[in-house]
Amino acid sequence: MSVRDALKGLAGDRRIAAMLGLGFSSGIPFLLVYVTQSAWLSEAKVPIGILGLMSELTLAYKFKFLWAPFLDRYDAPVFGRWLGRRRGWIIVSQIGVILALAGIAFGDPAHWLAWTIVFSLALGFAGATQDVVIDGWRITVAPLERQSLMSSWAEIGWRMGNLAAGAGALYLADAYGWRAAYLCMAVAMAPGLAAALLAPEPESDRSGAPVHAGFVETIVAPIRDLIGRLGPMAVPVLLMVAGFRMPGYVSSAMAMPLFKSLHYSNTDIATVTKLFGFGVALGGTFLASYIVPRIGIMASLVAGTVFGSASHLSLAYLALHGGDGGGAFWTFAVTVSIDSFAYAFASIVLITYMSSLTATEHAASQYALLTSLCALPGSLLAGASGFVIEATGFVWFFVATSVIGLPVALLCWYVWRRQQAGAQPAVASAS
């Protein structure tokens, strides 16, 4: 897809314009649950061990598959009758995000950490729910031939929202304090609210499709379908998905504490990781889009996990030399850019692979299941990351996150070889 085609789609199809706004609102909550907030927690002198445990505040994003099937089948309260099932849940989840952000803003983690934890958990739940229902709307509102265009504008919007929640929040925190930063992020959800109100209804909403299954069947059906199609390759494929981004999740949990320990300001961090990193991440995204069709998805998976894990050595180098001399800022910029580029490349490769595994009739639920499976192991390990750093220091921690990627690369290679030998997992015929 060319840039010209993308711009024509944005101007001529209100589904595309709505997707941009919804992608923006989807990109805001996640960083504010923990990653950006860890800078606030570090300034509040929260112990490093507790800081690592608080990375578990994002667990809702890992378990969203549990309630995703119900969002596919049941209407949202109040708004469902007015806007339809998909858009009704989008509005409800966005209101939840706004209220949770306001709650965090009026907290004080230095003196009342429990308040921050409760509202951060609420933010994670609301943000994860928003992701599920926006994916469901995207899949059901546009035909298959428009999905690549929808996905492209969703990604652009998400990165813009991510930039606001990262660089924007850090700049605001330096200038006006953390309370103002979080309140401004709540206001920044407005474009997403407007997009949900103006977006067209999916045909399934207009037809008033009835609920077809009971409580247990609603949860079990998408899982049973996925495992049935994968057949004997189900276990290695799902293990590969679970482990693929595990080193990245563990590493990311302690990146911000590393930057703060080296005495980089919020402004420096925002400039490098968000503003400069925005372009770097897009570069990784475009490279993955170019590479995958040329070498194949499985070769790309092997390359992605090796590249993604090895890039953590740049953070180990930063831990050794980040505070040295007048070139410290550029050491910071280069090392973080290497990690960001590799992360973006690996993420796009994995998204492409997971999308190929979903069936159209269970697309939102199965995609939520796969993304949850991808995130859960790394998130659980990240909970102990602060204690590991207390014992080993930052340098050996980031070396270790590189090493744990090696078994995952071997598993990718194994699945690839089994596919070549004829044990290829079945993918959805209409995905």
Side-chain angles (χ1 to χ4, degrees):
M1 181 192 64
S2 68
V3 174
R4 182 180 179 181
D5 290 337
L7 292 174
K8 284 176 63 179
L10 180 63
D13 189 339
R14 69 186 180 108
R15 294 173 300 185
I16 304 299
M19 191 71 263
L20 180 64
L22 293 173
F24 179 82
S25 67
S26 180
I28 288 178
F30 183 77
L31 290 183
L32 298 171
V33 176
Y34 175 73
V35 178
T36 297
Q37 187 176 222
S38 65
W40 188 1
L41 300 175
S42 296
E43 292 174 6
K45 308 300 182 187
V46 175
I48 189 73
I50 301 299
L51 200 58
L53 286 174
M54 289 186 68
S55 67
E56 306 295 358
L57 293 171
T58 61
L59 275 177
Y61 282 88
K62 288 75 179 176
F63 287 103
K64 60 187 179 182
F65 70 92
L66 292 176
W67 62 91
F70 297 95
L71 303 175
D72 274 338
R73 293 186 179 272
Y74 296 94
D75 289 343
V78 182
F79 293 97
R81 295 182 180 179
W82 176 31
L83 297 171
R85 182 172 301 164
R86 306 289 182 182
R87 295 192 301 148
W89 278 120
I90 291 173
I91 291 290
V92 168
S93 64
Q94 289 173 335
I95 291 173
V97 168
I98 291 169
L99 293 176
L101 287 169
I104 295 173
F106 287 99
D108 182 3
H111 299 98
W112 195 4
L113 188 59
W115 174 285
T116 299
I117 290 173
V118 168
F119 279 97
S120 295
L121 286 170
L123 178 60
F125 179 79
T129 300
Q130 180 187 215
D131 283 0
V132 171
V133 292
I134 288 175
D135 280 336
W137 177 84
R138 172 178 55 81
I139 292 168
T140 55
V141 80
L144 184 61
E145 61 269 18
R146 301 289 285 176
Q147 284 299 319
S148 62
L149 193 60
M150 295 284 285
S151 298
S152 298
W153 281 108
E155 180 72 8
I156 292 170
W158 185 89
R159 291 205 174 276
M160 292 169 64
N162 205 246
L163 183 64
L170 290 170
Y171 284 137
L172 287 166
D174 264 2
Y176 304 107
W178 283 105
R179 176 169 296 179
Y182 267 75
L183 289 175
C184 286
M185 292 301 102
V187 174
M189 290 293 294
L193 282 166
L197 292 172
L198 298 174
E201 289 183 68
E203 185 62 37
S204 58
D205 284 7
R206 289 195 291 270
S207 64
V211 176
H212 296 291
F215 183 90
V216 174
E217 181 64 16
T218 297
I219 297 176
V220 171
I223 301 173
R224 184 175 58 231
D225 173 80
L226 177 63
I227 293 176
R229 286 185 296 102
L230 291 176
M233 290 298 292
V235 172
V237 166
L238 294 178
L239 282 175
M240 180 179 69
V241 169
F244 191 85
R245 292 305 301 141
M246 180 173 62
Y249 276 103
V250 177
S251 174
S252 295
M254 286 293 109
M256 186 68 77
L258 168 65
F259 305 155
K260 299 301 286 187
S261 74
L262 295 172
H263 308 295
Y264 293 110
S265 68
N266 289 336
T267 298
D268 284 343
I269 294 170
T271 299
V272 169
T273 64
K274 305 306 175 187
L275 288 183
F276 190 56
F278 181 78
V280 169
L282 285 180
T285 299
F286 291 141
L287 178 64
S289 300
Y290 177 83
I291 289 290
V292 172
R294 285 159 177 80
I295 68 173
I297 186 61
M298 294 309 303
S300 300
L301 282 169
V302 175
T305 191
V306 171
F307 187 24
S309 298
S311 69
H312 302 162
L313 296 175
S314 68
L315 296 179
Y317 182 88
L318 178 65
L320 275 174
H321 302 290
D324 295 347
F329 177 82
W330 289 109
T331 300
F332 180 38
V334 172
T335 55
V336 171
S337 294
I338 291 171
D339 186 64
S340 297
F341 188 91
Y343 186 93
F345 177 90
S347 294
I348 294 300
V349 170
L350 182 62
I351 288 170
T352 303
Y353 182 69
M354 292 192 300
S355 297
S356 74
L357 298 179
T358 61
T360 302
E361 62 270 26
H362 298 295
S365 299
Q366 289 179 351
Y367 194 79
L369 173 65
L370 291 168
T371 55
S372 296
L373 181 64
C374 166
L376 183 59
S379 177
L380 293 175
L381 284 177
S385 57
F387 299 111
V388 173
I389 286 174
E390 285 181 335
T392 66
F394 281 108
V395 175
W396 286 110
F397 170 79
F398 288 113
V399 170
T401 61
S402 289
V403 172
I404 63 176
L406 293 177
V408 184
L410 291 174
L411 183 57
C412 290
W413 180 84
Y414 169 77
V415 172
W416 184 15
R417 292 305 180 195
R418 286 294 304 274
Q419 286 188 5
Q420 291 180 327
Q424 183 169 350
V427 298
S429 58
S431 63

